Amino acid sequence: TQSTWGYSVDRQRLQAPSCLLCCVFERMLPSERRLQNLSRQLEQPSTESLTSQSRIQPIPTAGQVMTSPITTHILDTTTGRPAQNVSVLLEYQAEPGRWITLGSGATDDDGRCKTLLPSTHKLQPGIHRLTFQVAPYFAAQNAESFFPYVDLAFNIPADNMRAHYHVPLLLSPFGFTTYRGS
């Protein structure tokens, strides 16, 4: 059976309930209703084998969200509240002056952006850049912003590519600061 990611699954050869496997491939937490619907649909065995161009992600536990290896959040220091719906772009510097877009997203209700990359993405050593489009955020707050956008460049060393990198942004209309978070 094909999943939404293009995986083929042989449920006979894998030692897990078929309805649970579909939840893995669809990046979902299994719920009782979802499991019931899936088990009805999956009664016929498949003869296909598991194939993929990338790795299968682990099953998240209850309440756990699969996150990108690079995450960010924004706190509006003028209000003390998270900055919601701010567009974020993540890029990698392939060579001086040439940037490759790795992912993009927007901050959620808590000011966080946790889905810039798939959780299984293998980081490359070198310079990465986050670009935050802050002018539209401040315009929606009826505030003038000195900065139309904020670029944050940071280095991922070759000896620490498996680490999680959290790069928060503390923001006001006329200033910002950042740090490496945890």
Side-chain angles (χ1 to χ4, degrees), residues 59-70:
I59 301 170
T61 58
Q64 179 185 6
V65 176
M66 302 298 286
T67 60
S68 167
I70 297 174

Side-chain angles (χ1 to χ4, degrees), residues 89-101:
L89 178 68
L90 174 62
E91 297 171 294
Y92 172 76
Q93 187 176 28
E95 56 189 53
R98 190 168 76 92
W99 294 90
I100 298 171
T101 298

Side-chain angles (χ1 to χ4, degrees), residues 6-8 15 25 28 41 47 50 57 72-75 77 100 120 126 128 135 138 176:
Y7 292 101
S8 297
Q15 297 177 352
F25 294 115
M28 306 178 83
Q41 296 171 6
T47 58
L50 178 64
Q57 295 186 1
T72 188
H73 78 268
I74 307 173
L75 178 66
T77 58
I100 298 171
T120 57
H128 291 68
F138 283 116
F176 63 88

